[in-house]
Amino acid sequence: MTAARYLGQPLLRREDEPLLRGAGRYLDDLRLAGTLHLAVVRSPFAHARLLEVDTAEAAAAPGVALVLTGADVAGMVAPPKSRPDRRVPPRPLLATDRVLMVGDPVAVVVADTPARARDAADLVFPDYDPLPVVADPETATDQPPIHPDYDDNVAFDRSGGDRAAVDALPGPIVVEGSVAHPRVVPAPLEPRGALAIWHDGDLTLYLGTQAPALMADELAWALDLPKERIRIVVPDMGGAFGSKFDLAEEEMLVIEAARRLGVPVKWVETRREHFLTIGHGRAQRHAYKAVADADGRLQGLWVESLVDVGARKRYLSGPPYTPRIGTGNYVVPAYAWRQLGVFTNLAPTGIYRGAGRPEATLTIERVIDRVARATGVDPAEVRRRNFVTEFPYESPGGAVFDTGDYATALDLLLEAADYAGLRARQREQRAAGRLPGIGLCAYVEATAFERFGRAIVDVDAVGRVRVRVGTLDHGQGHRTTFAQIVADQLGLTPDDIDVAQGDTADIPFGFGTSGSRSAAHGGSAARGGAQDVAAKAARIAAHLLEAAPDDIVLTGGRAEVAGSPGSGIPWVEVAAAAHDPARLPPGEEPGLSADHQFDSGGITFPFGMHLATVEVEADTGVVTLDQVWAVDDCGTVINPMIAAGQRHGGLAQGIGQALTEEVVYDGDGNLLTSSFLDYLLPTAAQLPPLRLLGTVTPSPQNPLGAKGVAEAGAIGIPPAIVNAVVDALEPFGVDHLDLPLRPERVWRAIHG
Ligand code: CDP
């Protein structure tokens, strides 16, 4: 028996102190004697035949130890495993006969310093014969296939529901349109990187990855090596947002170069390489038709998506999640969807913050606002009238929403932001010739996909607790939140608990961290392991105290007898007894450990309501974001300070996506936004105060009641901002704008 003390407390992050002191050890900080450095020669063409690669000068350059071209690594591929039946083309490590995108690896140079490797890479001279480039996903299916093994550029074509049934609905309200979801770059603070060392045929790979155990499985396949001979170690990591759930060509090349040279080899991605080759996010266009009654109640919706897959498939991608929540927080009696994925000669698209859910949300939230305008019913009221109210709820896209209470969250938002007052002020400002706008967004998202979590909890003979988890913190604060969870179960403090992760020699299990699963699954596994340990500790303490196990309470660092505060024995004594066979109850095994597997019932569905107010300057098209309000519900909150930090980050990313961020290619597939000078991330100066509120609707899918929180802002705020800007431009008859809302686009909408 224990009482919750730390769960729900805004504890400061235990991991921050060393990171803020500069004592973190990121991949590029790792220094191993004799390490050589790898640089990649990349294609300047988006599509070309590769004729010959002249490496003579590079090989003779100072400090160069190795040059590899496609011929040297022919047959070697990076995951995912090629699946011709599902059109997953192979990912060769280096191009042999063809390059498929600007930035495709063509050769690598390994030298004694990173600078010498890069200089020598400039001395590799590939010969190309340019081919026609598929740079526009809209026309990709009309172009010759970029993968010679396939007869067209279709990567997938899947659908559900009955579009004809939606088309047959009589109305009276019908809205049709399209919504662009521009390509964006994950841009974590720390780019990718790898450091490989071979020893007697065993590989140790230091890798910035979100999923070390899964990547060890992938590597075992790609290298045809038993998994036991592969150890992946993840150092401190400066973020990922989905972009490091992959084993890329470069990382495989580091491994191969280290194998050939017999010394450690390292590669750290440059920012330009990140822009060129990382899995970009979004890259969809949705066409839709929605039918509603005169009161704004939705009757039907179809959404047809064009998904730009890029040149190759990454390990994971977002589109499968889009149709599942394509009807948003609303009851839509008739729903149909189609997703056409196309190959292009552009960087592959992968998972990025929310992956698939931001796209679903932006489209349905544009639909709702258009229905509101067509019916004359206030956008907040249209949302309320259509809300799902009974849970569990099976969406027509095939998701089962665990819990929700959308109306309460909307009420809280409208009241906190003084929605009625905002509308009154908007009328006054409009009368004075200004262009103020108010935008709403309701979202429901899906988090915690893979059902399982596992944790091992060990208590040593002096009572120190070590929890090994299969999740992978890369900025989220798991060392703090998991310690809070475990401390409560054992009656200890978070400082008594060490949380270990990221070394497959120690922790060969786990799905890592993606899709906001860590709190729900990792946290629940840690809790279960701690409970198993607590039960054994209670049996041991009961034996020592001559009490019944059920009467033992673990609290304040002691095992006490219920009802007698201050009684009993210190935790360290329980731990010592656990390791001393002479002091154990009869039949009890020595040691104090538990290996706990957690199986959730299914996915969790966090939700929220966001509101943005903007003012548009008619002469310039500049959008000023005035107010941001976010009501988010992630079930039970483990650490409100950390959850708020996650929400801030997501909101900043969503604001960037709404206002400035966009990957731009020219018609030849050249990347025009390959640095932070051209690709505009928002800075703190562009962010208004972020006003956070919340409701708590615990999930029944895990004993903590937790749902994921990390992606909320990136999903909820972009639709609120675009709805606000379209609202501001209502006097000009503007009923839609695509992201990002850069001044030129907004100005053109105003000035026709
Ligand atoms: O899987 P990932 O850590 O990226 O996402 P998450 O599960 O949404 O958790 C992000 C951070 O917020 C973690 O430190 C969680 O422990 C914390 N969190 C929380 O305090 N309460 C929740 N209900 C969900 C997450």
Side-chain angles (χ1 to χ4, degrees), residues 476-478 481-482 513-514 516-520 634-639 642-643 646 706-710:
Q476 293 93 331
H478 298 167
T481 51
F482 291 2
T513 284
S514 69
S516 297
R517 62 185 305 278
S518 304
C634 60
T636 308
V637 179
I638 294 157
N639 181 322
I642 287 181
Q646 296 289 312
K707 304 178 177 186
V709 70

Side-chain angles (χ1 to χ4, degrees), residues 432-708:
R434 291 164 64 179
L435 297 176
I438 303 162
L440 288 168
C441 170
Y443 74 85
V444 57
E445 71 144 326
T447 60
F449 291 103
E450 300 82 6
R451 286 176 50 172
F452 301 100
R454 182 174 165 195
I456 299 176
V457 180
D458 291 306
V459 183
D460 68 15
V462 293
R464 186 99 201 138
V465 182
R466 186 162 184 269
V467 187
R468 285 178 274 172
V469 289
T471 47
L472 199 287
D473 175 275
H474 44 287
Q476 293 93 331
H478 298 167
R479 285 188 179 87
T480 304
T481 51
F482 291 2
Q484 286 177 259
I485 294 167
V486 171
D488 280 348
Q489 299 301 325
L490 300 179
L492 301 173
T493 72
D495 284 342
D496 298 319
I497 321 289
D498 297 320
V499 178
Q501 63 162 30
D503 181 343
T504 61
D506 195 21
I507 309 168
F509 55 82
F511 293 100
T513 284
S514 69
S516 297
R517 62 185 305 278
S518 304
H521 290 176
S524 296
R527 179 182 180 275
Q531 281 182 327
D532 297 344
V533 162
K536 182 167 182 184
R539 291 197 298 276
I540 296 168
H543 178 66
L544 297 173
L545 295 167
E546 296 180 1
D550 285 351
D551 289 340
I552 298 296
V553 184
L554 300 178
T555 182
R558 301 179 65 79
E560 296 182 350
V561 179
S564 309
S567 67
I569 47 174
W571 169 256
V572 282
E573 201 176 321
V574 181
H579 292 83
D580 177 359
R583 301 176 69 200
L584 287 171
E588 198 77 67
E589 298 262 325
L592 192 49
S593 300
D595 183 342
H596 189 88
Q597 301 259 15
F598 166 72
D599 178 4
S600 78
I603 295 171
T604 66
F605 289 82
F607 60 91
M609 307 288 148
H610 289 191
L611 183 149
T613 68
V614 300
E615 180 153 2
V616 178
E617 194 178 65
D619 290 343
T620 60
V622 168
V623 174
T624 303
L625 185 59
D626 288 326
Q627 295 189 33
V628 167
W629 292 85
V631 175
D632 297 308
D633 190 321
C634 60
T636 308
V637 179
I638 294 157
N639 181 322
M641 200 257 328
I642 287 181
Q646 296 289 312
R647 293 163 69 191
H648 282 151
L651 285 167
Q653 287 172 309
I655 290 168
Q657 203 192 316
L659 296 178
T660 53
E661 291 184 44
E662 184 179 22
V663 172
V664 181
Y665 286 95
D666 71 10
D668 294 324
N670 296 304
L671 181 63
L672 303 183
T673 47
S674 61
S675 82
F676 286 132
L677 289 176
D678 322 294
Y679 184 90
L680 300 182
L681 287 185
T683 65
Q686 277 127 21
L687 302 184
L690 306 173
R691 297 167 214 260
L692 305 187
L693 299 151
T695 56
V696 176
T697 312
S699 172
Q701 308 288 39
N702 61 75
L704 291 166
K707 304 178 177 186

